[in-house]
Amino acid sequence: MARYQQIIEELILTGGRHLTAEQIYLRLKESHPSLVLATVYNNLNELTRQGKIRRISLEGFPDRYDAPTRHDHLVCTVCGGLTDLPLPDLTEWIEQQTKTPIEGYDLKIHWVCPKCRAAQGTTA
Amino acid sequence: MARYQQIIEELILTGGRHLTAEQIYLRLKESHPSLVLATVYNNLNELTRQGKIRRISLEGFPDRYDAPTRHDHLVCTVCGGLTDLPLPDLTEWIEQQTKTPIEGYDLKIHWVCPKCRAAQGTTA
DNA sequence: TCTTAGATTTAGAATAATTCTAATTCAAAA
DNA sequence: TTTTGAATTAGAATTATTCTAAATCTAAGA
């Protein structure tokens, strides 16, 4: 069962990174016309719960889904675009600072991506 | 003008931290019965734009509003509760690592708060 | 004082992402 | 072949937030 779980996972891990639920739905609908958006959400929730994928929540934009490998993200404050950023793992440092065990963390770095920086130079 | 801007700002900075728009609305409605939720949102957006308050987005919970001082947050993965955590500023370290100027960052640390940890021990 | 102009607030409809519910379908086991 | 439980489907519901248009207010100018 879980007819769609595997192809959704594969699409997220290899077919395109940082996809939204709707993008996943539209891509898979081509080859699986009976697929429905609610099924995509169901599977995304299940995969996230199992730790096979990672959900990235962004202010003002729909959630995106990513590989669960440990890495951080640059978020463009202009276009909302996401870029992977593999900074060193801060877990131990945080636990030393807080003197408390933690489950993990979510680090989003705000920048203006090169494309938007160029566009700013043009208009401003 | 901006009749409500100041009292909203004051409530966020001093009257209670990590409040939602609705909590702010309910508290102020007592003393200002004509106040409407849309006005709260308008003012929260304006205050955020001006950098006088900070918006904190949490997965699955409404946004909360906080003082704009630089600090990080512990987020309980069980109850969603927020706790302030003043870790050292990582901006310079991140800029060294990425070799790119950044605008700031958002660091949320996932833990189980003491209250939920105790409750877990009880039930599990 | 009266008028005007601009901004703010109000009221409530609209939006959009996501979840929920109930009915249907499916796959495997009995 | 029948049963059973889980997954999918369809579409309604939810919820936080935004939007729109009308009403209100404030301050300035005549």
Side-chain angles (χ1 to χ4, degrees):
Chain A
M1 289 143 219
R3 190 168 4 150
Y4 295 110
Q5 189 165 323
Q6 186 149 14
I7 57 169
I8 290 175
E9 183 183 350
E10 279 173 21
L11 178 55
I12 290 167
L13 299 188
T14 68
R17 302 283 303 288
H18 306 151
L19 296 172
T20 65
E22 180 145 43
Q23 287 171 330
I24 293 164
Y25 164 69
L26 289 175
R27 282 222 204 164
L28 294 180
K29 186 144 189 83
E30 292 176 21
S31 44
H32 302 78
S34 73
L35 178 66
V36 130
L37 188 53
T39 299
V40 174
Y41 276 108
N42 286 343
N43 281 281
L44 289 173
N45 285 340
E46 181 58 21
L47 286 165
T48 303
R49 219 184 41 69
Q50 292 178 20
K52 292 182 177 169
I53 63 172
R54 173 177 165 198
R55 191 198 321 269
I56 307 171
S57 293
L58 296 173
E59 260 191 59
F61 300 92
D63 289 354
R64 291 165 185 283
Y65 295 89
D66 199 0
T69 56
R70 215 218 65 72
H71 64 274
D72 309 290
H73 288 106
L74 293 160
V75 185
C76 177
T77 54
V78 176
C79 70
L82 265 190
T83 308
D84 285 338
L85 176 65
L87 290 175
D89 191 337
L90 292 171
T91 303
E92 282 190 27
W93 178 76
I94 292 169
E95 290 185 332
Q96 282 169 14
Q97 296 278 329
T98 62
K99 300 180 179 64
T100 309
I102 68 172
E103 307 218 312
Y105 64 88
D106 172 23
L107 175 57
K108 294 199 189 82
I109 292 149
H110 306 144
W111 74 331
V112 180
C113 69
K115 192 180 290 183
C116 289
R117 190 175 298 273
Q120 275 186 336
T122 304
T123 5
Chain B
M1 289 141 221
R3 193 172 356 156
Y4 295 110
Q5 188 163 325
Q6 186 149 14
I7 59 170
I8 291 175
E9 183 182 351
E10 277 173 23
L11 179 55
I12 291 166
L13 299 188
T14 71
R17 301 283 303 286
H18 306 151
L19 297 172
T20 65
E22 181 146 39
Q23 288 170 331
I24 292 165
Y25 164 69
L26 290 175
R27 284 222 202 162
L28 295 181
K29 186 148 188 78
E30 292 176 23
S31 43
H32 301 76
S34 74
L35 179 67
V36 131
L37 189 52
T39 299
V40 175
Y41 276 108
N42 285 345
N43 281 281
L44 290 173
N45 286 339
E46 182 59 20
L47 286 165
T48 303
R49 218 183 41 71
Q50 291 178 19
K52 293 184 176 170
I53 62 172
R54 176 182 4 165
R55 190 198 321 269
I56 306 171
S57 294
L58 296 172
E59 262 190 59
F61 299 93
D63 289 355
R64 291 165 184 282
Y65 294 87
D66 199 0
T69 56
R70 215 219 62 73
H71 63 273
D72 309 290
H73 288 107
L74 293 159
V75 185
C76 177
T77 55
V78 175
C79 69
L82 264 192
T83 308
D84 284 337
L85 177 64
L87 289 174
D89 189 339
L90 293 170
T91 303
E92 281 191 25
W93 178 77
I94 292 168
E95 290 185 331
Q96 281 168 14
Q97 295 279 327
T98 61
K99 298 181 180 64
T100 307
I102 68 173
E103 308 218 311
Y105 63 89
D106 171 24
L107 174 58
K108 293 201 189 80
I109 291 150
H110 306 143
W111 75 331
V112 180
C113 70
K115 191 179 288 184
C116 288
R117 191 175 298 274
Q120 275 186 338
T122 305
T123 9

